[in-house]
Amino acid sequence: MFNIEEELKKLPSKPGVYIMHDAKDAIIYVGKAISLKNRVRQYFQSSRNLTTKIQQMVAHIDHFEYIVVDSEMEALVLECNLIKEHRPKYNTMLKDDKGYPYIRVTLNEAYPRVMMARDQKKDKAKYFGPYTSAGAVKDILELLRKLYKIRTCSRNLPKDIGKERPCLYYQIKQCDAPCQGYISEEEYRKNIDEVVEFLNGNYGIITKDLEAKMKAASAALEFEQAAEYRDLLQSVEKLAQKQKATETDGMDRDIIAFVTAGDEAVVQVFYMREGKMLGREHFYLTGVENEPRSSIMTNFIKQFYAGTPYIPRELLLGEEVEEEEMGLLEEWLSVKRGGRVYIKVPKKGDKERLVVLAEKNASVVLQHDSEKIAREEAKTIGAMREISEWLDLPSLYRIEAFDISNISGFDSVGSMVVYENGKPKRNDYRKFKIKWVKGADDYASMHEVLTRRFTHGLKEEEELAKKNIDSSHGSFTRYPDLIMMDGGRGQVNIALQVLEELKLNIAVCGMVKDDNHRTRGLYYNNVEIPIDTRSEGFKLITRIQDETHRFAIEYHRSLRSKTQVRSILDEIDGIGDTRRRALMKHFMSLDAIKAADIDELAQVPSMNRLAAEKVFAFFHRREESE
């Protein structure tokens, strides 16, 4: 039994991170402290002036743990990692956990490629960005292909030179076909050097070159060619115009400002690289009501830059941050960047005008999207709230729904889908191939699926406990607040039986359908609860039911397909697992294998002429007999 008063006395006066858990062992809050003893005790002192949100959080604390570190800097890094990993309910959270694309030039290759990358890796490639959208990157890559004819294929060059025909890009004059040896490595590398210059923002060389080529083509009466050069020149000039400098000091900086409305905040970030406005993006924060504005800004900076590989040299903020926190953030960002980072709150001049502009943009986004945000919340969190009220549950965060699919008992399968805060959490979906039940017995199959799902969870809990690892790191240890069964009393009773056998206490309800196979209500505690079919809660239940059914059917269909392919090919003498997989990988379908001639079959890896003749003879004899 965790005694909070006793555990508070044991807290050390050292820097570290504290982790608050609720009665279900879910992590509900993560914070850092210079002194764990002083900071954690403050939450439980009635005289403290706590915000409403923190008061609610404290009321749900069942136990806490802490991790001692050597410095406040280490505590900040650990806090960021834990918040990103667990997304605690009572932390101010960055909703749009986006990654921003880069352009990657593979300088470590003999014939480098230029491609989009979702993150920066520690390899020998050169990265440019981040860019504000994948669309912007694709436009630039398309322009580079036209200008410099850089390859896009993944062929291993020069090893694979001449092995295959040139691709479509060579035919449309957007690649010089190094795969055929049509351009030397030295000439190709010169083009790559110009690409790097271009991506660095040096457009002068290419614009002069295009102007000269356009005029030369025009003078030679090659007007179609001249028009192509003109179009390319206009594309370069358009891109250069987008990158016009709004500052003249050439510094990399991000400008950050936000506006709030109730529990939501919109943060606007302007990206400037080498003094040029690269773009802008907005982000949503939740859980900001009654939070100090300095705290909102601090939380955004920590979460945003914890997941962003590129750190600029300067941040311009629209809000003051506590002096001590400012120094710590600068130190943390400097370590991540590998160079000094400055955080400033400008009060006058051009920099202050940029911050004001960012704030105005955030305000516009908030006004424009407020209805959209409200609708989205009603469809998700609001719908979960409605369901919890119908069932009289204290809270509802995670729902797991189960279904069984079979055709006359053939390859029975079970599906488990997961919804958290009203949204599908597809990484937690699970498939179960029925092992213990023979024939079409949905009740017995459901008993097996539920038993396996929760037995996995209990075993994982034991294994993690032995290793002193938090149970939230297991793939099955996160239990639902509510189990939804695709059916009425019978299915619900099966679930309750399994939970009783495993000594688990989880709410269970059935999704009851009418004669037209449409959801009409919920079966809970031996009573069918009618629900408003116009409500968001009803719509969410319908989505969950449809998704559970879809997931089970999809899995069942894939198993049937694999079984049918395996049974037919296994009838052929000399065709084992390796050759069967090779045939399916090469031809993609059984019909394509049937249509292939002996020469085509013999070209498949692991096949030889004799095996090809057997496959061909098998299918053609089969056709004749049919």
Side-chain angles (χ1 to χ4, degrees):
M1 182 70 179
F2 191 92
N3 188 313
I4 288 179
E5 289 298 324
E6 288 300 315
E7 295 299 324
L8 287 173
K9 296 175 184 177
K10 300 175 186 178
L11 286 164
S13 300
K14 293 182 177 180
V17 170
Y18 53 92
I19 305 163
M20 306 298 196
H21 294 256
D22 65 11
K24 295 182 179 179
D25 202 35
I27 294 174
I28 59 174
Y29 190 79
V30 173
K32 67 172 177 61
I34 300 176
S35 168
L36 286 166
K37 188 181 188 71
N38 295 341
R39 185 72 184 100
V40 178
R41 285 165 65 98
Q42 289 174 358
Y43 290 103
F44 302 95
Q45 294 171 0
S46 57
S47 60
R48 295 292 302 177
N49 185 23
L50 302 175
T51 65
T52 304
K53 183 175 78 171
I54 295 300
Q55 289 176 18
Q56 291 173 350
M57 182 271 290
V58 172
H60 285 88
I61 295 174
D62 177 76
H63 59 283
F64 61 79
E65 59 180 313
Y66 56 87
I67 303 170
V68 175
V69 295
D70 291 330
S71 67
E72 194 181 3
M73 166 63 70
E74 288 184 28
L76 171 64
V77 174
L78 181 57
E79 178 197 31
C80 291
N81 291 340
L82 289 174
I83 290 174
K84 187 175 180 66
E85 173 72 20
H86 299 289
R87 302 190 68 80
K89 180 178 180 179
Y90 289 99
N91 282 91
T92 298
M93 292 304 304
L94 176 61
K95 288 175 70 175
D96 295 286
D97 189 14
K98 297 178 181 175
Y100 287 84
Y102 291 78
I103 290 179
R104 177 172 178 255
V105 184
T106 59
L107 295 177
N108 55 313
E109 296 180 318
Y111 292 87
R113 291 168 293 157
V114 184
M115 64 187 73
M116 182 166 69
R118 282 294 174 184
D119 51 25
Q120 273 186 304
K121 296 179 181 177
K122 293 183 178 179
D123 52 19
K124 295 180 181 179
K126 189 172 181 64
Y127 290 83
F128 297 87
Y131 294 86
T132 54
S133 73
V137 171
K138 289 174 182 175
D139 289 344
I140 293 171
L141 292 178
E142 184 180 356
L143 179 58
L144 290 174
R145 280 199 304 271
K146 293 175 180 178
L147 289 171
Y148 300 107
K149 299 179 173 55
I150 302 300
R151 75 183 180 109
T152 60
C153 65
S154 58
R155 295 176 187 176
N156 185 1
L157 303 181
K159 182 181 175 181
D160 290 342
I161 287 179
K163 288 188 177 180
E164 295 181 43
R165 291 179 297 177
C167 66
L168 178 64
Y169 284 115
Y170 171 72
Q171 306 296 335
I172 62 174
K173 299 181 180 179
Q174 289 187 20
C175 178
D176 280 331
C179 61
Q180 303 301 308
Y182 294 166
I183 181 172
S184 70
E185 189 175 334
E186 292 74 22
E187 289 178 288
Y188 189 91
R189 183 63 70 156
K190 286 179 184 177
N191 289 344
I192 288 294
D193 290 341
E194 290 189 23
V195 166
V196 170
E197 285 294 307
F198 184 93
L199 292 171
N200 278 323
N202 299 325
Y203 308 118
I205 296 173
I206 188 63
T207 53
K208 289 179 181 177
D209 183 49
L210 288 171
E211 284 177 356
K213 287 179 178 177
M214 179 179 68
K215 290 175 181 177
S218 181
L221 303 181
E222 296 174 353
F223 299 117
E224 188 175 334
Q225 186 69 57
E228 288 183 17
Y229 289 132
R230 179 204 62 205
D231 293 343
L232 287 173
L233 182 60
Q234 288 175 351
S235 296
V236 174
E237 289 173 342
K238 184 178 178 182
L239 180 63
Q241 188 65 31
K242 286 183 181 179
Q243 307 279 345
K244 286 279 181 163
T246 55
E247 293 272 333
T248 57
D249 59 8
M251 184 182 287
D252 287 3
R253 59 169 57 93
D254 288 349
I255 299 98
I256 306 170
F258 68 85
V259 292
T260 63
D263 200 41
E264 297 270 354
V266 172
V267 184
Q268 184 79 44
V269 182
F270 286 166
Y271 304 106
M272 297 184 68
R273 301 294 178 258
E274 298 182 359
K276 300 170 183 178
M277 181 70 77
L278 181 113
R280 66 181 184 180
E281 192 61 58
H282 63 268
F283 302 86
Y284 294 105
L285 289 171
T286 58
V288 303
E289 196 164 16
N290 298 321
E291 282 285 307
R293 292 182 66 82
S294 60
S295 175
I296 295 171
M297 180 63 80
T298 301
N299 281 316
F300 174 76
I301 291 171
K302 288 192 292 188
Q303 292 183 57
F304 179 63
Y305 291 105
T308 303
Y310 183 78
I311 311 292
R313 189 179 176 192
E314 183 178 84
L315 304 187
L316 301 182
L317 309 184
E319 205 64 48
E320 295 283 355
V321 174
E322 291 182 14
E323 187 176 343
E324 185 178 321
E325 196 76 28
M326 178 91 82
L328 183 63
L329 289 172
E330 283 187 332
E331 183 184 353
W332 172 59
L333 292 170
S334 297
V335 171
K336 283 181 68 70
R337 183 176 184 268
R340 189 79 169 86
V341 174
Y342 301 89
I343 299 178
K344 299 176 181 178
V345 184
K347 301 297 184 184
K348 60 181 181 179
D350 291 339
K351 292 181 179 179
E352 194 261 348
R353 283 193 287 274
L354 280 170
V355 169
V356 170
L357 182 62
E359 186 173 331
K360 286 180 179 177
N361 276 267
S363 181
V364 168
V365 170
L366 185 62
Q367 291 171 15
H368 183 266
D369 286 358
S370 58
E371 291 184 8
K372 178 182 173 184
I373 294 168
R375 287 196 304 271
E376 181 65 21
E377 183 172 316
K379 287 170 59 178
T380 54
I381 298 171
M384 295 284 273
R385 194 181 301 119
E386 284 182 345
I387 296 170
S388 67
E389 288 171 359
W390 295 337
L391 304 180
D392 197 24
L393 296 175
S395 64
L396 184 56
Y397 174 72
R398 180 181 172 103
I399 291 175
E400 291 182 4
F402 296 84
D403 190 20
I404 299 293
S405 175
N406 63 65
I407 296 178
S408 302
F410 176 82
D411 271 344
S412 290
V413 299
S415 67
M416 173 183 118
V417 304
V418 179
Y419 275 67
E420 289 187 353
N421 262 342
K423 296 180 180 179
K425 191 177 183 186
R426 292 185 172 83
N427 286 344
D428 284 7
Y429 284 17
R430 293 292 181 269
K431 304 170 182 176
F432 300 87
K433 188 173 182 181
I434 303 302
K435 300 176 180 177
W436 310 338
V437 180
K438 302 299 181 184
D441 189 337
D442 283 359
Y443 285 168
S445 297
M446 184 60 75
H447 188 283
E448 176 186 331
V449 167
L450 292 169
T451 301
R452 285 166 57 189
R453 182 265 178 267
F454 289 107
T455 301
H456 273 310
L458 292 169
K459 286 181 179 178
E460 274 191 357
E461 278 184 345
E462 290 179 11
E463 292 170 3
L464 292 172
K466 289 177 184 176
K467 299 175 183 177
N468 201 25
I469 299 174
D470 189 274
S471 62
S472 62
H473 290 282
S475 59
F476 279 94
T477 52
R478 189 73 184 273
Y479 297 149
D481 303 304
L482 176 67
I483 296 172
M484 281 191 164
M485 308 301 296
D486 188 35
R489 177 181 300 186
Q491 293 284 20
V492 169
N493 287 339
I494 290 293
L496 291 173
Q497 181 185 336
V498 171
L499 295 174
E500 185 178 356
E501 291 168 358
L502 299 177
K503 296 180 173 58
L504 292 172
N505 183 23
I506 301 172
V508 182
C509 75
M511 297 177 280
V512 186
K513 297 176 183 176
D514 60 19
D515 294 337
N516 295 316
H517 210 66
R518 292 177 302 194
T519 305
R520 74 179 184 213
L522 295 176
Y523 182 79
Y524 182 66
N525 284 346
N526 295 317
V527 176
E528 185 177 324
I529 302 171
I531 52 181
D532 182 0
T533 56
R534 296 167 298 177
S535 66
E536 292 296 343
F538 171 81
K539 294 172 185 174
L540 176 59
I541 291 168
T542 302
R543 290 199 297 274
I544 292 173
Q545 197 166 34
D546 291 345
E547 178 70 352
T548 310
H549 190 60
R550 179 202 65 79
F551 192 54
I553 291 293
E554 185 181 87
Y555 180 40
H556 186 253
R557 188 179 294 126
S558 71
L559 286 180
R560 291 201 335 258
S561 175
K562 289 176 184 175
T563 302
Q564 288 164 358
V565 169
R566 185 159 53 249
S567 64
I568 292 173
L569 293 180
D570 280 350
E571 292 178 27
I572 308 174
D573 180 42
I575 303 301
D577 287 344
T578 301
R579 283 175 173 167
R580 184 184 66 240
R581 284 195 297 268
L583 285 166
M584 288 306 299
K585 183 178 180 181
H586 184 85
F587 290 102
M588 303 303 290
S589 73
L590 210 55
D591 288 339
I593 296 173
K594 291 179 184 179
D597 60 29
I598 293 173
D599 289 337
E600 290 172 327
L601 291 166
Q603 290 175 7
V604 175
S606 81
M607 292 287 287
N608 55 34
R609 185 80 184 179
L610 179 61
E613 289 172 353
K614 287 181 178 180
V615 173
F616 183 82
F618 174 84
F619 282 115
H620 286 269
R621 280 201 306 271
R622 193 182 181 94
E623 286 176 359
E624 290 168 8
S625 63
E626 290 172 354

